[in-house]
Amino acid sequence: MTESQNKSYKISPWTAEFRDPVIERDYCRTVERDNARFLRVALVIWGTLLMVFVPLEWIALGNSTAFYVLFAIRLLNVTALLTLAFLLRARPHWVSWGWPVTIVTILGYLLFFAYMRYIPDSGPLGLAVLMLLLFSLYVFVPNRIPLNNLIAVVGISTVMASSIMAGLDAVSLLYMAILLIWPAGVGYFTALRISTGNRRAYHLLQQAEQSNSELQREIRRRQQLEKELKWQAQTDPLTGLFNRRQYELLFNQEMASARRNKTPLTLGLIDLDHFKAINDKYGHDLGDHVLCQVADILQQPLRDSDIIGRFGGEEFIIILPRTDVDQARVVAERMRLALTETIISHQGQTVVVSATFALAELTPEDKDINSVIRRADDALYEGKDSGRNCVVCVRAA
């Protein structure tokens, strides 16, 4: 990532959120389903723990008004918790928003203070439970830290206000304030550390994904470059046909296959008639265009296994595996007729071209492509001497 991108991932030291709201929103979307699932579990556990105390309260209070008031308060709290847990299934974004869980948690605190009034001698127990709740709020409730701070302030303020109204002396109030602020502070800094660590991990993940994406692009670029270089090494740049190096390599492979399988192999040379006159009269632009068009025409009657290349200048070469000279003559005649019947146009100029074809079949005496080419080349001169625009065959002795 660039330096500017790293700056945009800067995290606030007080809220443990990304300073960039767009990045923070993307992060929240990434983790909100997992957080919603964790929060649903936490809410169900919270509600279950609240109901665990019902039998104990029945033992302590019996069939009394206080017991039923406590039961109603607990039932209201549990209903709120389970309702939020149910709604989170379809609304996981509420976790990122934060206000629904904040409202339910504040309601839980207020209800906790309400039913603690009905439990005799509950002061020390209530204070201990509240300290635990304040710490658990930051660690176990996936909520935005600023909203958890709001919940803690509401809880502590409510306790302090109730204690002042109860006439607690200043020393006891200070002692109680310290006891409540301590778990809230520990929970706050613990939550800061956890949230900051999670966001740093997200930042590293984004860096890794971007690096991986750049690596994949580089691999594709190199593959394309390798393909392009391979194509350039194998083909003639003007016509796109195989160059000499490639068609000789392919001929050697086909020659070995022909001798191994005892099948025929025919090579043909094709020379465009009076091509120099076309260049002299119309220029090399039209001449190059003619060569490209001729290359396309010559490929049409060929099979996928056949090989065609540019021999040089206005000459082409074809290699026909599993084809004897008589079969090759049929293919060559199709090419010859296709050329003479095609009008080639370029920038308002039109020409019709013809070609002389010479075919030579592989013989047992041939050691490489050059000996076959020499026989085909001799036949090519014979075709030119006899008027061009024809197919001449060299039969094996």
Side-chain angles (χ1 to χ4, degrees), residues 112 116 119-131 176 179:
F112 171 76
M116 288 303 293
I119 300 178
D121 303 323
S122 62
L125 175 62
L127 184 60
V129 172
L130 182 58
M131 291 172 64
M176 182 175 292
L179 288 178

Side-chain angles (χ1 to χ4, degrees), residues 86-371:
F86 175 78
L87 293 175
L88 283 173
R89 285 183 173 274
R91 300 170 178 82
H93 61 279
W94 278 8
V95 178
S96 303
W97 183 25
W99 280 105
V101 66
T102 300
I103 294 171
V104 170
T105 306
I106 290 177
L107 175 64
Y109 271 110
L110 297 178
L111 293 175
F112 171 76
F113 298 136
Y115 57 65
M116 288 303 293
R117 295 176 55 189
Y118 290 89
I119 300 178
D121 303 323
S122 62
L125 175 62
L127 184 60
V129 172
L130 182 58
M131 291 172 64
L132 178 62
L133 289 176
L134 285 171
F135 178 77
S136 301
L137 166 70
Y138 288 98
V139 178
F140 298 110
V141 179
N143 193 17
R144 296 178 59 194
I145 290 179
L147 294 179
N148 278 343
N149 290 340
L150 174 63
I151 297 170
V153 168
V154 170
I156 294 172
S157 300
T158 304
V159 172
M160 297 304 297
S162 300
S163 301
I164 292 173
M165 293 176 62
L168 212 63
D169 60 87
V171 175
S172 298
L173 287 173
L174 179 61
Y175 177 74
M176 182 175 292
I178 293 173
L179 288 178
L180 293 176
I181 292 173
W182 175 72
V186 173
Y188 169 68
F189 286 106
T190 302
L192 280 180
R193 181 177 179 181
I194 294 173
S195 296
T196 300
N198 289 341
R199 282 165 173 80
R200 285 175 178 168
Y202 174 77
H203 182 198
L204 292 175
L205 177 63
Q206 296 301 109
Q207 285 181 314
E209 289 181 349
Q210 181 173 353
S211 297
N212 183 62
S213 178
E214 292 174 354
L215 178 61
Q216 292 299 321
R217 286 197 297 269
E218 179 64 17
I219 290 174
R220 288 194 295 271
R221 189 188 70 82
R222 288 178 180 271
Q223 289 174 339
Q224 183 62 33
L225 179 60
E226 182 181 353
K227 184 178 179 181
E228 179 70 19
L229 291 174
K230 184 178 180 180
W231 182 85
Q232 291 178 3
Q234 294 177 345
T235 59
D236 169 62
L238 176 62
T239 61
L241 302 180
F242 287 130
N243 59 19
R244 185 180 187 90
R245 177 183 179 184
Q246 186 63 18
Y247 67 66
E248 285 188 357
L249 174 64
L250 295 174
F251 177 86
N252 291 334
Q253 295 174 356
E254 293 299 337
M255 182 174 64
S257 175
R259 287 178 170 163
R260 184 172 59 251
N261 299 315
K262 295 181 171 46
T263 55
L265 175 64
T266 299
L267 178 147
L269 292 181
I270 306 164
D271 185 79
L272 296 184
D273 299 329
H274 308 297
F275 183 74
K276 185 177 182 302
I278 295 176
N279 272 336
D280 293 341
K281 181 177 181 180
Y282 299 103
H284 288 282
D285 284 347
L286 179 62
D288 289 345
H289 181 72
V290 167
L291 291 174
C292 293
Q293 292 298 307
V294 168
D296 291 339
I297 295 170
L298 294 178
Q299 291 180 78
Q300 292 175 9
L302 296 179
R303 302 164 298 182
D304 291 339
S305 59
D306 296 333
I307 301 161
I308 181 169
R310 188 178 179 190
F311 191 66
E314 68 274 19
E315 291 183 302
F316 300 86
I317 186 169
I318 56 173
I319 301 167
L320 308 177
R322 300 177 302 281
T323 306
D324 60 28
V325 72
D326 292 324
Q327 294 168 324
R329 184 184 187 95
V330 174
V331 177
E333 283 291 349
R334 290 176 185 170
M335 291 179 174
R336 188 184 67 80
L337 291 174
L339 286 175
T340 58
E341 293 172 356
T342 302
I343 299 175
I344 300 175
S345 301
H346 182 66
Q347 296 180 348
Q349 297 173 322
T350 59
V351 294
V352 176
V353 297
S354 63
T356 303
F357 293 74
L359 304 173
E361 190 173 340
L362 180 71
T363 66
E365 293 75 22
D366 292 318
K367 303 300 182 183
D368 54 33
I369 192 174
N370 293 322
S371 58

